[in-house]
Amino acid sequence: MEFCDDCGSMMKAVDGVWECGSCGFTKPKGDAAQYTVTDSQEATEIIESSEETSLPETDAFCPECGNDRAYWYMQQIRSADESETRFFICTECEYKWREDDN
């Protein structure tokens, strides 16, 4: 994502250049290698599960293997005025499922 140097609006990539839809300012599109992810930015939204995890555990029935324990976390995936979605990861088979409020 790139922002206009003149007016600050978000620019669009058009044929190898960045073009501002508001004021018409253009500049060459840089190499993808020049963009970096800092420590404060997340490179991914995916939460990987492993043998050692900091996620809390709870009693939850795994629909895949029948285990009765799972790690869990909550994530806002719909509009802000709706409740969060609960995600579970089985402690045995690492099957992942979600539970929505209906």
Side-chain angles (χ1 to χ4, degrees), residues 34-68:
Q34 79 184 32
Y35 300 104
T36 59
V37 177
T38 64
D39 290 338
S40 64
Q41 295 172 318
E42 291 187 35
T44 180
E45 290 288 324
I46 299 172
I47 296 178
E48 298 290 335
S49 66
S50 64
E51 291 296 321
E52 294 181 29
T53 181
S54 61
L55 295 174
E57 273 188 55
T58 189
D59 293 328
F61 179 77
C62 175
E64 188 73 15
C65 72
N67 183 37
D68 63 350

